[in-house]
Amino acid sequence: MSDFLLTIAIPTYNREVYLRRLLESLFNQKSDFKNQVEIIISDNASTDNTQAVIGDFMNNKLEISLITNPENIGSDRNIAQCYTKAKGKYVVAFGDDDVLYPNSVAIILDIINKVKDFGVLYLNWELIKKDRLILESDILLFDDYLQFYNKVSHNSTFISGNVVNSKYVNNINFDRYFGTNLVQLPFILTASLSETYNIFHIQPLVGVQPDNSGGFSVCKVFGENLNQILNEFDVSLKTNRVFNLIKVRLLIESFPNWIYRIKNTKHFFSDDNNLHETLSSVYSKFPQYWFFVYPLIVLNKTILKVLWPFYRIYAKILGYLLNKKEKNQPAKIIKIR
């Protein structure tokens, strides 16, 4: 049996600058590890100086279990490998372009020690800020996964934000999800729906690099691929509410921004002009799609730029009304440090 409470597993490919920043954030916290934290890096056959960056930190006594893939096996396989190789009781596959803020590792360990058994600990995130220090650490402890997802919703797809109970790794046939760009989601869903408790950390512990995702069709991934995965779960009235909640939040909070970027700014997504065709097969039954996504698809760039500030206010109001409709039961607030 491993004594590791936490595995921080980092899938990486040609991100030497960002990876160095992340490893610095971990190196500065290594005194908090107390032999309870395992760091894994799975290098997907990088062709830049990734190996040299890793070597620098290993030479400075940051203990790293390094996996070097002889060839690029794809992002999904690389993320799955991070999960299956983890020895910790809990595991987070952490994006190489994100950072864990100072004191975050100690906070996560404290939560694991206090709560003992839970499905998912959601860390919360914000766009990265320099010199960010977490002065407070409060969690919401949920014993109802519907209320947990009312808080987390589509952020359940964010690998860096979800610390997952690793005992559920063996329940997942990751091969089924290669090519979906959502290989992490069945694992996160299974753990959160199976355990009595799930946790939301109120203050952001993760700093996220803005506008740095891409290389895939965001509409296909969060449309057809997401729907395929959700359909594989046993659907009850309660889980159906969870899955619809995830989809509605995507329609209100994420798709409009993605479509705006695709139509008006430099982006790294591979979507073509058939956005409606790609999305309608999954979302045509949702009124939120027709009121808040489809108009952005059909508007030309000039009008879209003019209306965008007004739309953001409109979407914010709708998000507030949605949260009122799906009311949270009181969650237990626990102060960690």
Side-chain angles (χ1 to χ4, degrees):
M1 291 289 292
S2 168
D3 292 328
F4 293 123
L5 287 182
L6 174 67
T7 295
I8 301 171
I10 306 165
T12 192
Y13 174 69
N14 282 356
R15 290 270 189 83
E16 58 175 292
V17 174
Y18 292 133
L19 181 63
R20 182 179 292 278
R21 182 179 65 183
L22 169 57
L23 291 179
E24 284 176 353
S25 77
L26 295 175
F27 180 81
N28 293 335
Q29 299 180 65
K30 70 175 185 175
S31 61
D32 296 325
F33 287 10
K34 302 172 185 176
N35 298 318
Q36 298 178 96
V37 178
E38 173 190 38
I39 298 176
I40 295 174
I41 298 179
S42 184
D43 179 16
N44 211 2
S46 294
T47 57
D48 62 359
N49 292 317
T50 289
Q51 289 282 322
V53 169
I54 297 169
D56 287 345
F57 285 92
M58 294 177 73
N59 291 336
N60 280 310
K61 297 187 170 28
L62 182 63
E63 293 188 18
I64 296 172
S65 296
L66 176 60
I67 302 169
T68 303
N69 298 328
E71 61 182 8
N72 191 320
I73 59 175
S75 61
D76 280 341
R77 289 179 185 272
N78 206 31
I79 291 169
Q81 182 168 251
C82 284
Y83 288 135
T84 58
K85 296 295 185 182
K87 297 177 182 177
K89 182 178 180 181
Y90 294 89
V91 56
V92 56
F94 204 85
D96 56 7
D97 57 342
D98 301 326
V99 298
L100 270 168
Y101 284 141
N103 203 37
S104 293
V105 173
I107 289 171
I108 295 169
L109 290 175
D110 280 351
I111 292 171
I112 293 172
N113 282 313
K114 284 188 176 181
V115 181
K116 302 297 183 185
D117 292 300
F118 55 85
V120 172
L121 160 62
Y122 181 70
L123 301 180
N124 215 348
W125 64 271
E126 65 184 8
L127 295 182
I128 191 167
K129 295 179 181 177
K130 291 184 178 180
D131 303 319
R132 184 77 153 91
L133 180 62
I134 307 302
L135 299 176
E136 295 183 354
S137 181
D138 303 310
I139 63 172
L140 297 175
L141 182 63
F142 292 98
D143 60 4
D144 182 334
Y145 64 73
L146 175 59
Q147 299 304 327
F148 173 70
Y149 274 96
N150 186 44
K151 196 72 177 174
V152 173
S153 64
H154 57 291
N155 287 302
S156 54
T157 64
F158 176 44
I159 58 171
S160 300
N162 289 276
V163 179
V164 191
N165 193 321
S166 63
K167 74 181 182 183
Y168 294 99
V169 166
N170 293 331
N171 294 34
I172 310 301
N173 179 5
F174 287 103
D175 291 11
R176 290 178 57 84
Y177 308 105
F178 293 158
T180 65
N181 289 102
L182 291 171
V183 71
Q184 69 279 9
L185 184 58
F187 177 39
I188 293 168
L189 283 173
T190 298
S192 61
L193 299 180
S194 300
E195 287 289 327
T196 301
Y197 296 108
N198 293 289
I199 304 169
F200 182 93
H201 193 276
I202 296 173
Q203 297 83 5
L205 298 182
V206 178
V208 173
Q209 181 68 28
D211 299 332
N212 200 45
S213 59
F216 58 89
S217 168
V218 69
C219 291
K220 184 176 188 299
V221 168
F222 290 97
E224 177 186 329
N225 296 357
L226 174 76
N227 200 52
Q228 168 198 325
I229 291 170
L230 297 182
N231 284 343
E232 293 187 1
F233 282 79
D234 292 331
V235 177
S236 64
L237 288 175
K238 190 172 180 179
T239 55
N240 188 58
R241 287 178 69 189
V242 169
F243 299 158
N244 282 340
L245 176 62
I246 291 171
K247 291 176 182 178
V248 167
R249 293 286 182 84
L250 280 166
L251 289 171
I252 294 173
E253 299 175 15
S254 296
F255 275 118
N257 289 287
W258 290 331
I259 291 169
Y260 181 80
R261 286 174 58 193
I262 289 167
K263 295 187 70 172
N264 284 291
T265 62
K266 182 179 179 181
H267 64 90
F268 302 100
F269 300 126
S270 62
D271 296 83
D272 54 26
N273 292 324
N274 299 315
L275 301 179
H276 173 62
E277 181 180 336
T278 305
L279 290 174
S280 60
S281 61
V282 174
Y283 291 109
S284 60
K285 295 181 180 179
F286 289 81
Q288 291 86 355
Y289 173 72
W290 296 103
F291 286 108
F292 299 102
V293 177
Y294 181 71
L296 301 183
I297 294 175
V298 297
L299 285 173
N300 67 49
K301 294 181 181 181
T302 302
I303 297 175
L304 182 55
K305 283 184 177 180
V306 172
L307 294 180
W308 183 244
F310 302 99
Y311 168 83
R312 294 181 68 181
I313 297 171
Y314 185 46
K316 189 173 182 180
I317 294 172
L318 182 66
Y320 172 75
L321 295 175
L322 176 69
N323 285 335
K324 286 187 66 176
K325 180 180 178 182
E326 195 70 62
K327 290 184 179 179
N328 263 321
Q329 298 296 322
K332 186 177 182 180
I333 299 176
I334 301 175
K335 187 171 288 293
I336 297 299
R337 294 171 72 85

